[in-house]
Amino acid sequence: MIPIAQPFLGFEEADAARAVVLSGWLSQGSEVASFETEFAADVCARHACAVSNCTTALHLALLAVGVRQGSEVVTVSHSFIAGANSIRHVGAIPVFVDIEEGGFNIDPSRIADAITPRTQAILCVHQMGMPCDLQSVSAIAKQYSLPLIEDAACAIGSQIRIDDTWRKIGKPHGDIVCFSFHPRKVLTTGEGGMLTTDNDDHDRFFRLARQHGMSISDGVRHASPRVIFEEYLTTGYNYRMTDIQAAIGRQQLKRLPEIVARRRSLAMRYRVLLTAVSGVRAPSEPGWTKSNWQSFAISLDIGLDQKRVMQHMLDNGVATRRGIMCAHREAAYTADPRPHALGRSEAAQDRSILLPLFPQMTDEAQQQVVDALRAAIKACSKTPAMRLVKA
Ligand SMILES: *Cc1c(COP(=O)(O)O)cnc(C)c1O
């Protein structure tokens, strides 16, 4: 069986975690601090603050820019539901807009229509690692004086060209960027997240809010020769990252160039191999982006049944996943008003399939995936239902 994904970890990560276990300091200590410094340097952000996952990162980001009860946040429905949920977590309302033609990211031309006097922020997503059109999105945010938060859960190691310069996702083009280190992402710490920002006040807020609003950290009290008492300055949360996770993350960060290079070369090869398969369209990469290809989503031609193609491939030893979900179709969101058209989002969910892609994947395994896809499409095209559609 070829899995959809596989984390890329080795003895270096295991040894780093072991060293922390034996060190006597397990949470939000020096490993977390070093991971933050190295991460900020890697993406060229002034600050990086580690948290427990990307959903908690999004929660703190929304609070930091002033999103509150009754606010609206313009975002996409076509994304993992954590984005919409994080907006609900602060009592605000996600206002969904559609994605672009031929891609899976927010359509910048739909944003202005969705802005109202209640709008407090724009939350854009670099879906499956592919950078969204940040230049257009941030221009709109500036025009309407709205904070911009980037959901870069999947986008560590991706790049975008702005003003003829290649920049890593994580250097904020709005206010705050949020990352995930879940095992399905390109860099993993088991669970984990990171907030990057150039804003000193935001970073101060993140550090306070992630550990119960505590004025003086355990680390500082531990190192102090004098007795000091902490204060609790705001209603905080427990969104801490452990040093075990951070130690793994530091090793992963060292591997990141190798991981991204391998993913990119597999993605390029998929695109070549798929030119010989009819009935599908490979994802495209705009010239101003370099995706980390966290996921590789192909689009099926109309008439091909997504679930049947996937089942046929599974029966032939290849695991796939359906395209990215749409939050507005889930029970948690169906009661919300839906003022903006989301047809492309729905089509993307219904017609795309994620193919296996991970650094350890061999060229043979990749060929096997493409062969299984070709066979599945052939089998699913021959059904009576399909002939009916064609007729
Ligand atoms: C995975 C993901 C998240 C959630 O990340 P967690 O670390 O699991 O909380 C949020 N947004 C997007 C786009 C994701 O892919």
Side-chain angles (χ1 to χ4, degrees), residues 28-50:
Q28 205 169 276
S30 64
E31 288 294 326
V32 170
S34 299
F35 185 33
E36 291 172 339
T37 307
E38 290 159 11
F39 194 96
D42 188 78
V43 301
C44 297
R46 194 194 314 221
H47 303 286
C49 180

Side-chain angles (χ1 to χ4, degrees), residues 53-56 58 79-80 82-83 125 127 151 153-154 180-182 185 191-192:
N53 58 61
C54 185
T55 310
T56 54
L58 288 164
S79 186
F80 186 55
V125 183
Q127 196 54 262
D151 178 346
C154 300
S180 171
F181 306 133
H182 182 269
K185 317 300 185 186
E191 294 281 356

Side-chain angles (χ1 to χ4, degrees), residues 204-215 233-234 236:
R204 244 192 313 277
F205 169 73
F206 300 151
R207 286 168 198 283
L208 212 55
R210 73 173 168 176
Q211 60 153 4
H212 311 289
M214 198 188 294
S215 62
L233 305 173
T234 177

Side-chain angles (χ1 to χ4, degrees), residues 190-265:
E191 294 281 356
M194 193 73 82
L195 291 138
T196 61
T197 184
D198 290 341
N199 182 310
D200 298 345
D201 292 335
H202 290 341
D203 187 64
R204 244 192 313 277
F205 169 73
F206 300 151
R207 286 168 198 283
L208 212 55
R210 73 173 168 176
Q211 60 153 4
H212 311 289
M214 198 188 294
S215 62
I216 299 164
S217 72
D218 319 290
V220 169
R221 279 179 286 146
H222 179 74
S224 171
R226 303 184 41 200
V227 172
I228 28 179
F229 294 157
E230 78 283 11
E231 292 175 281
Y232 296 84
L233 305 173
T234 177
T235 311
Y237 306 88
N238 176 2
Y239 287 170
R240 285 183 295 245
M241 178 184 273
T242 68
D243 275 36
I244 304 168
Q245 293 166 301
I248 294 170
R250 294 180 70 194
Q251 297 303 318
Q252 287 272 282
L253 203 54
K254 287 187 200 161
R255 281 189 209 279
L256 187 63
E258 178 198 349
I259 292 174
V260 172
R262 178 67 187 147
R263 298 188 77 93
R264 286 187 60 75
S265 105

Side-chain angles (χ1 to χ4, degrees), residues 308-326:
R308 289 189 54 216
V309 171
M310 292 171 68
Q311 186 62 54
H312 197 280
M313 292 180 76
L314 191 61
D315 294 342
N316 282 295
V318 176
T320 59
R321 292 290 181 272
R322 70 166 178 180
I324 301 296
M325 64 178 299
C326 290

